[in-house]
Amino acid sequence: MKLKFGNVEENVVTREEFPLEKAREVLKDEVIAVIGYGVQGPGQALNLKDNGFNVIVGQRSGSKTWDKAIADGWVPGETLFEIEEACQKGTILQFLLSDAGQIALWPTVKKHLTPGKALYFSHGFGVTYKEKTGIIPPADVDVILVAPKGSGTSLRRMFVEGRGLNSSYAIYQDATGKAKDRVVALGIGVGSGYLFETDFYREVTSDLTGERGTLMGAIQGIFAAQYEVLRSNGHTPSEAFNETVEELTQSLMPLVAENGMDWMYANCSTTAQRGALDWWKPFRDATKPVFEALYNSVKTGVEAQKSIDSNSKPDYREKLEAELKELRESEMWQAGAVVRQLRPENN
């Protein structure tokens, strides 16, 4: 169906329009092979299985993720296989390894993409930057995308709660004439709240911008800036953390999620309202040039190349842990650990 978002009409698919029963019918003869069991793999695989689809998992035996898959109920030799065997058995290959992992494993996956199969992504990176990744699908397979707008952990958690994350969907290549039904059925099957149409390029550019921007990078930067200003002016770590992070995540953002920013403003004190209305535009104007520089870095492929270069290095995990340790051991997040322990539900 078409719905207006503001003044722009977009194509969306709802659960009412494409119910789970229809999705099962579309995919009744398919074997869905989830390749990779790291970030998105567990949530998507378990949701599909619980929704009644024929799902297998491909992972390296002896790895931590192999053991995790067994702990989640996948059975070696029945529903859990080595990656190459899963690729051979699957008619839909959900390629859910990391971007660097996809590059490394592409030759193995490609040789099992026989005519009529479908290659499924949850990120447009590999295909959009094919000159850098070497991921060029054969012409006789469907190439589709479902990108849940959140982590695999959130996808699974919300599914168990009877809710759903919204997802985008895209068709890069329709070799069989069935790509649209396949991708929508998979989107419903993994537990999407609703699906909105995109393409591989728009998915990856918006996603890389969002991750580096308000979803992760910018929010940490803003948290750190305000926390440091409060601490330098004599406020305690507990007070600075509560006024910077805890009140936002535990009190205000749930209100925004329920009814929008204007509703949250309307349900705060008049002092808070006035301050927020006076200051949001200066913050927009101050940060917009940074976001424009970020988007340009994404659009020109600079961010993609950085990701490939960094994540392909053998010592990537060690360097990542050092960077995460810096965050974890910062005073702000040390204060946060104590604040979380003091929440009533944790006592």
Side-chain angles (χ1 to χ4, degrees):
M1 68 171 67
K2 291 186 179 292
L3 288 178
K4 277 195 171 182
F5 293 79
N7 293 319
V8 178
E9 195 171 68
E10 297 187 38
N11 291 321
V12 301
V13 181
T14 66
R15 295 181 185 184
E16 292 74 25
E17 178 187 357
F18 204 107
L20 185 57
E21 294 74 19
K22 182 176 179 180
R24 291 194 191 106
E25 179 64 24
V26 168
L27 300 178
K28 65 181 180 181
D29 297 323
E30 305 275 16
V31 177
I32 304 166
V34 176
I35 308 303
Y37 206 74
V39 178
Q40 280 289 335
Q44 294 199 32
L46 290 168
N47 290 1
L48 283 163
K49 182 176 76 168
D50 288 352
N51 270 334
F53 297 91
N54 185 11
V55 187
I56 62 174
V57 171
Q59 188 55 50
R60 292 186 182 90
S61 62
S63 64
K64 290 181 180 179
T65 45
W66 177 275
D67 294 338
K68 174 175 169 51
I70 292 174
D72 285 346
W74 304 97
V75 180
E78 295 181 18
T79 55
L80 177 61
F81 301 92
E82 291 283 350
I83 289 175
E84 187 151 5
E85 187 173 1
C87 289
Q88 185 177 7
K89 289 178 178 294
T91 59
I92 297 173
L93 306 188
Q94 293 198 192
F95 204 15
L96 300 182
L97 292 162
S98 68
D99 295 323
Q102 288 184 10
I103 295 170
L105 205 70
W106 175 240
T108 299
V109 172
K110 184 180 180 180
K111 69 181 178 181
H112 293 291
L113 285 171
T114 51
K117 286 192 176 186
L119 178 61
Y120 167 113
F121 294 90
S122 282
H123 192 25
F125 190 100
V127 170
T128 299
Y129 300 114
K130 56 184 180 291
E131 294 84 2
K132 302 177 186 295
T133 65
I135 297 177
I136 302 173
D140 51 9
V141 301
D142 292 343
V143 183
I144 55 180
L145 173 147
V146 173
K149 298 298 106 180
S151 70
T153 300
S154 298
L155 181 72
R156 180 60 178 168
R157 186 175 295 166
M158 293 176 75
F159 176 86
V160 171
E161 293 171 351
R163 302 160 63 204
L165 275 178
N166 303 326
S167 301
S168 59
Y169 76 93
I171 300 167
Y172 182 80
Q173 188 168 281
D174 184 5
T176 67
K178 301 186 297 182
K180 176 69 178 293
D181 279 349
R182 274 173 150 176
V183 72
V184 173
L186 288 162
I188 297 298
V190 300
S192 303
Y194 78 89
L195 297 159
F196 62 94
E197 188 176 29
T198 187
D199 59 41
F200 275 59
Y201 174 79
R202 285 192 290 127
E203 190 284 326
V204 74
T205 49
S206 61
D207 190 66
L208 293 181
T209 301
E211 291 166 348
R212 287 150 179 74
T214 59
L215 301 178
M216 296 174 68
I219 196 68
Q220 165 62 20
I222 290 171
F223 282 164
Q226 178 169 304
Y227 182 89
E228 289 167 10
V229 168
L230 289 172
R231 287 289 289 124
S232 68
N233 282 278
H235 298 272
T236 66
S238 173
E239 185 170 57
F241 187 85
N242 272 282
E243 294 293 347
T244 299
V245 179
E246 189 75 352
E247 186 174 349
L248 175 69
T249 59
Q250 299 302 299
S251 173
L252 301 182
M253 289 314 294
L255 299 182
V256 177
E258 287 174 18
N259 291 297
M261 188 68 76
D262 61 314
W263 190 90
M264 188 268 279
Y265 280 11
N267 285 273
C268 290
S269 71
T270 55
T271 302
Q273 290 167 359
R274 184 70 269 138
L277 289 167
D278 286 348
W279 277 93
W280 80 261
K281 290 180 181 177
F283 276 109
R284 177 200 62 192
D285 296 343
T287 58
K288 191 173 180 181
V290 181
F291 282 102
E292 288 171 339
L294 165 59
Y295 192 83
N296 187 62
S297 187
V298 170
K299 185 173 65 174
T300 56
V302 171
E303 294 301 310
Q305 192 62 55
K306 282 183 184 177
S307 179
I308 292 169
D309 292 344
S310 172
N311 299 351
S312 299
K313 291 179 180 176
D315 62 348
Y316 167 70
R317 289 289 170 188
E318 290 80 1
K319 289 183 176 179
L320 171 66
E321 179 52 36
E323 290 179 289
L324 295 179
K325 182 180 179 184
E326 179 186 357
L327 280 176
R328 185 169 57 248
E329 295 185 355
S330 68
E331 184 190 84
M332 180 173 72
W333 290 112
Q334 288 290 301
V338 178
V339 171
R340 289 193 297 275
Q341 290 172 4
L342 293 172
R343 290 176 188 162
E345 65 268 26
N346 294 331
N347 289 285

